[in-house]
Amino acid sequence: MMEFTAEMIAAALGGEVVGDASAAVHTVSSIEEGKAGSLAYLTNPKYEPFLYTTRASIVLVDRTFEPAQPVAATLVKVDDAAACVVRLLAMYEAAKPRRTGISERASVSERAEVGADCYIGDFAVVEEGVRIGAGCRIYPQVWLGRGTTVGAGTILYPGVRIYEGCVVGERCILHAGAVIGADGFGFMPNADGGFDKIPQLGNVVIEDDVEIGANTCIDRAKTDSTVIRRGVKLDNLIQIGHNVQIGENTVSSAQTGIAGTSKVGRNCFLAGQVGIADHVTVGDRVKIGSKSGIDKNVPDGEVRLGYPALPGMQYHRSSAVFKNLPDLARKVQALEKEVTELKKR
C-alpha cells in the first residue's frame, strides 16, 4: 500500500509541517478514530479535544490553528483544511491500483464497441450496439442493454442495469444496483376497471460528471427523454419518474421521489425524503427541506419546508404556532368556561 510522508503531503498542499516531517501514513481516518499510520483532520472546532488524544500519525489543520495542549501527532498546517481533505482523498483514490482487461466470464457482443483501457468484470453483459468509451470500469454483473452509450472514464459498480437506448455521459459514477431506463409508471384506466399499460418509448440521458447512488432508479420517458444534466449528484434510494428533467449541479439526498414530467432547475438542493408531485416546475437555486412535499411550482431562489411545503419564514412561523397548540387549546377551553359562567350570571 502506498505511503505518504508529512513532507510529501505539505508539499502537495502548500502547507507547513509542525513535528516529524518523516511521519508516514497509508490510510485516512476521523480524528476521534485515528490510529498509527493514519492521516486525520481537524475542520470543526468542537472536535479539538480529540486532537490531544488521537493516535493518528498526521493531522491536517488550518494554518491559523494553535493547539492549547501538547500534540503527539505531526501537524500539517494549510490555508483551508476542509478543502485540502478533499484533495488528499482524491490523491489516495488515484493511488489505488486500477483493474484492467475484459474478464473471460463477461459476455461482450461482437457488435459492441469497447474503448481502450477499459475494465469489464465477471458476468457483466454488454449487448449489441453498445458503445463504451475509453477508460471505463464496468464491474461484475453490470448489464448494458442494446444500443446504450457509456462515456469515457465512467464507472459502473456491480449490479448496475442500463436499459436499451439509454445514454450515460463521461466521468459518471453509478453505484451498485442503480437502474437506468426501466419503464415509467404509465397506466390508463380501462372499461373493465383495470389498467392498460402505456408503452414507454423514450430513453434516459445522463450528461457528464453525474453521480448516482446505490439502488436509485431513473425511469425512461414515455416519449423523448428523461434528462439528468451535467454535474447532478443523486444519493441512494431515489426515484426519478418518466420525462423528469433535473438541471445542472443539483444535489438530492436519499429517498427523494420526483414524479413524472416534473422539472427541477439548476443548483438546487433537495434534502432527504423530499416528494415532488407530477407536472411541477422547481426553479433554479431552490432549497427544499427534509420530508417536504412539493405540489406547486416553486420560483427561483426560494426555500420550501414542510408538508404541504411552505415558504421558509412562513413555515417557521407556523411551526412556532403548532408547537404551542396544546397551551392555546387549554387557554381557549378556560376562556369558554369563563364565558359560559358569565352567561349564566
Side-chain angles (χ1 to χ4, degrees):
M1 185 175 293
M2 187 170 181
E3 285 193 336
F4 297 91
T5 66
E7 186 175 32
M8 292 167 62
I9 292 169
L13 301 177
E16 60 177 305
V17 178
V18 179
D20 181 7
S22 64
V25 293
H26 60 268
T27 188
V28 181
S29 66
S30 62
I31 195 167
E32 61 268 38
E33 300 292 338
K35 54 186 179 294
S38 71
L39 169 76
Y41 47 89
L42 178 63
T43 57
N44 188 327
K46 76 176 185 178
Y47 290 100
E48 183 178 340
F50 292 107
L51 176 64
Y52 310 116
T53 59
T54 188
R55 295 197 296 173
S57 299
I58 301 173
V59 179
L60 200 67
V61 298
D62 285 333
R63 200 180 298 275
T64 56
F65 175 77
E66 294 296 335
Q69 302 175 31
V71 178
T74 294
L75 301 182
V76 175
K77 291 189 167 186
V78 293
D79 291 333
D80 185 343
C84 287
V85 168
V86 177
R87 289 175 58 189
L88 276 178
L89 292 175
M91 286 171 56
Y92 274 100
E93 180 68 20
K96 288 181 181 178
R98 289 189 57 179
R99 299 185 184 190
T100 57
I102 299 175
S103 168
E104 294 180 354
R105 290 182 288 273
S107 175
V108 180
S109 170
E110 293 179 353
R111 287 187 280 180
E113 299 178 17
V114 179
D117 300 320
C118 286
Y119 161 67
I120 301 179
D122 294 351
F123 309 112
V125 175
V126 180
E127 294 194 343
E128 62 186 80
V130 171
R131 292 180 294 168
I132 301 173
C136 288
R137 282 180 274 169
I138 312 296
Y139 280 80
Q141 298 184 337
V142 168
W143 173 66
L144 301 179
R146 264 186 295 178
T148 60
T149 299
V150 178
T154 284
I155 302 171
L156 306 180
Y157 281 106
V160 169
R161 270 60 170 154
I162 303 180
Y163 283 50
E164 62 181 41
C166 293
V167 177
V168 178
E170 297 183 355
R171 299 176 302 280
C172 293
I173 300 173
L174 277 63
H175 288 278
V179 178
I180 310 301
D183 281 357
F185 192 67
F187 299 91
M188 179 73 71
N190 60 34
D192 298 325
F195 294 89
D196 295 327
K197 182 176 177 63
I198 300 171
Q200 306 291 294
L201 304 179
N203 71 343
V204 175
V205 175
I206 298 172
E207 295 186 346
D208 299 341
D209 301 304
V210 170
E211 183 158 351
I212 296 171
N215 293 321
T216 284
C217 297
I218 303 176
D219 291 345
R220 71 194 309 110
K222 181 169 67 174
T223 59
D224 304 313
S225 299
T226 301
V227 182
I228 312 298
R229 298 291 181 192
R230 179 188 300 270
V232 167
K233 313 298 180 188
L234 301 179
D235 200 356
N236 304 331
L237 296 166
I238 286 175
Q239 163 63 25
I240 306 297
H242 61 85
N243 291 92
V244 166
Q245 296 186 30
I246 300 181
E248 293 181 4
N249 299 315
T250 282
V251 176
S252 178
S253 297
Q255 299 181 356
T256 287
I258 304 177
T261 320
S262 286
K263 296 180 180 180
V264 179
R266 299 188 301 271
N267 299 104
C268 294
F269 176 78
L270 282 58
Q273 296 186 335
V274 165
I276 299 178
D278 58 296
H279 299 273
V280 167
T281 297
V282 175
D284 299 337
R285 305 180 309 283
V286 169
K287 294 180 173 61
I288 304 176
S290 298
K291 297 178 180 288
S292 296
I294 306 296
D295 59 356
K296 295 180 177 63
N297 294 347
V298 181
D300 293 350
E302 296 269 334
V303 175
R304 289 291 184 271
L305 301 165
Y307 183 85
L310 299 172
M313 289 308 299
Q314 184 180 348
Y315 171 83
H316 288 302
R317 288 194 294 267
S318 300
S319 179
V321 172
F322 179 78
K323 65 185 179 184
N324 291 325
L325 283 180
D327 290 337
L328 291 171
R330 282 192 292 270
K331 290 177 181 179
V332 169
Q333 289 168 359
L335 288 170
E336 287 177 338
K337 186 176 180 180
E338 289 180 17
V339 169
T340 300
E341 290 175 354
L342 286 171
K343 285 181 177 178
K344 287 180 181 179
R345 293 177 189 175

